[in-house]
């Protein structure tokens, strides 16, 4: 699947944000979402852009670096905290924590694609693993937009690259590429592969990941206890695991939980 670039709207003022959020809330029960910034999930981290995709191939780039009031006065908080609109995010933990600490916003109603993929692997008898967004897209044959060589270098060298203004077309396309597959393919595909009996576990893990950088120590302790119990059981039940070709395809590029 080749990802087509959608209509991208750059939102940098409270009034335009109010209009965009109102439209999204009225027309989009599911959105893709990603935050761009520096040190997301860490103490002192900052969000510069909040990027949202909609099922009708629209992308809204909210420039909160230009005007922080967009989040509260511009109504973006209504979307982020809405229990009616599902937010599809890959690894929601860092975004959730930075929204919480920087803006006092509690991200609600999330479908975490990293968590969904982990549960799908567990359904196949594999141990907990995490995967990056590019690797997940590769598994489902989604060809992502490739930034220019100059922007790729900046993304490696400058942690504040998303604070640069003016925002270039290349930056907009790159930001959009991180949300378009969420609504155009991944949510539908992953939802279809999650078994009904796995949904309660999936919901638990999504909420745990949402809190993982906010209540880091308690979540880390809970994960370690669960990992120790799981490891002991695996040794008892199956000391050596031989992967099938299908399992090898799905775990390619992923790492064990706690290393990503």
């Amino acid at each position: 699947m080749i990802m087509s670039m959608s209509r991208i709207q750059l939102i940098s003022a409270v009034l335009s944000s109010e209009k965009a959020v109102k439209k999204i809330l009225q027309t989009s029960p599911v959105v893709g979402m990603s935050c761009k910034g520096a040190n997301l999930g860490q103490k002192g981290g900052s969000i510069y852009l909040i990027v949202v995709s909609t099922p009708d191939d629209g992308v809204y780039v909210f420039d909160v670096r230009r005007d922080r009031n967009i989040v509260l006065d511009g109504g973006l908080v209504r979307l982020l905290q809405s229990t009616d609109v599902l937010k599809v995010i890959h690894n929601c933990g860092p975004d959730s924590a930075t929204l919480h600490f920087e803006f006092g916003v509690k991200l609600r109603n999330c479908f975490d694609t990293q968590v969904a993929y982990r549960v799908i692997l567990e359904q196949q008898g594999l141990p907990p693993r995490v995967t990056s967004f590019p690797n997940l897209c590769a598994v489902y044959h989604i060809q992502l937009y490739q930034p220019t060589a100059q922007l790729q270098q900046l993304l490696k060298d400058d942690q504040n690259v998303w604070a640069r203004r003016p925002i270039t077309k290349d930056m907009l396309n790159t930001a959009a590429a991180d949300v378009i597959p969420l609504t155009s393919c991944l949510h539908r595909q992953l939802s279809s592969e999650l078994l009904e009996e796995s949904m309660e576990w999936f919901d638990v893990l999504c909420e745990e990941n949402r809190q993982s950088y906010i209540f880091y120590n308690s979540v880390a302790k809970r994960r370690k206890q669960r990992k120790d119990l799981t490891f002991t059981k695996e040794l008892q039940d199956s000391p050596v695991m031989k992967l099938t070709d299908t399992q090898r395809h799905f775990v390619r590029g992923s790492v064990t939980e706690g290393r990503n």
Side-chain angles (χ1 to χ4, degrees), residues 147-158 161:
T148 61
Q150 180 182 11
L151 182 54
Q152 288 186 43
Q153 194 61 47
L154 284 173
L155 289 168
K156 293 178 182 178
D157 297 341
D158 183 5
V161 62

Side-chain angles (χ1 to χ4, degrees), residues 2 27 31 58 62 95-96 107 119 124 145 158 169 172 182 188 243 252:
I2 299 177
T27 62
V31 299
F62 295 88
D95 289 1
S96 171
L107 190 61
V119 173
Q124 299 181 24
Y145 171 84
D158 183 5
K169 182 178 180 180
L172 287 174
L182 297 171
R188 180 179 64 255
L243 299 182
R252 187 178 298 122

Side-chain angles (χ1 to χ4, degrees), residues 90 111-132 136 140 190 193-194 198 201-202 204-206 208-209 219 222-224 226-227 230 234 250-251 254-258:
H90 189 83
F111 181 102
D112 194 318
T113 54
Q114 187 179 78
V115 171
Y117 193 64
R118 168 212 163 125
V119 173
I120 289 167
L121 293 179
E122 289 180 345
Q123 290 174 174
Q124 299 181 24
L126 295 164
R129 301 182 70 85
V130 294
T131 191
S132 68
L136 184 61
Y140 291 102
L190 295 170
E193 294 181 26
L194 285 169
S198 299
W201 178 232
F202 168 68
V204 168
L205 291 178
C206 277
E208 181 180 87
N209 204 34
V219 172
R222 184 162 66 247
R223 285 176 170 174
K224 185 179 186 305
R226 185 170 64 229
K227 186 175 182 180
T230 303
E234 287 173 351
F250 277 102
V251 302
S254 64
V255 298
T256 54
E257 184 183 44

Side-chain angles (χ1 to χ4, degrees), residues 27 31 50 56 58 73 118 153 171 179 196 207 252 255:
T27 62
V31 299
I50 297 177
D56 63 354
D73 296 341
R118 168 212 163 125
Q153 194 61 47
M171 292 171 68
V179 294
E196 184 176 351
E207 178 60 15
R252 187 178 298 122
V255 298

Side-chain angles (χ1 to χ4, degrees), residues 39-54:
N39 301 316
L40 298 183
Q42 300 178 31
K43 186 176 181 179
S46 297
I47 294 174
Y48 303 136
L49 299 174
I50 297 177
V51 191
V52 175
S53 63
T54 56

Side-chain angles (χ1 to χ4, degrees), residues 29-89:
V30 179
V31 299
M33 186 190 136
S34 176
C35 294
K36 300 298 179 188
N39 301 316
L40 298 183
Q42 300 178 31
K43 186 176 181 179
S46 297
I47 294 174
Y48 303 136
L49 299 174
I50 297 177
V51 191
V52 175
S53 63
T54 56
D56 63 354
D57 294 331
V59 174
Y60 300 85
V61 180
F62 295 88
D63 188 355
V64 300
R65 166 74 168 176
R66 179 75 70 183
D67 189 349
R68 289 173 53 86
N69 294 321
I70 284 175
V71 176
L72 300 180
D73 296 341
L76 192 51
V77 62
R78 294 172 56 206
L79 173 61
L80 299 172
Q81 297 192 159
S82 171
T83 56
D84 296 322
V85 178
L86 184 68
K87 274 71 71 176
V88 186
I89 312 175

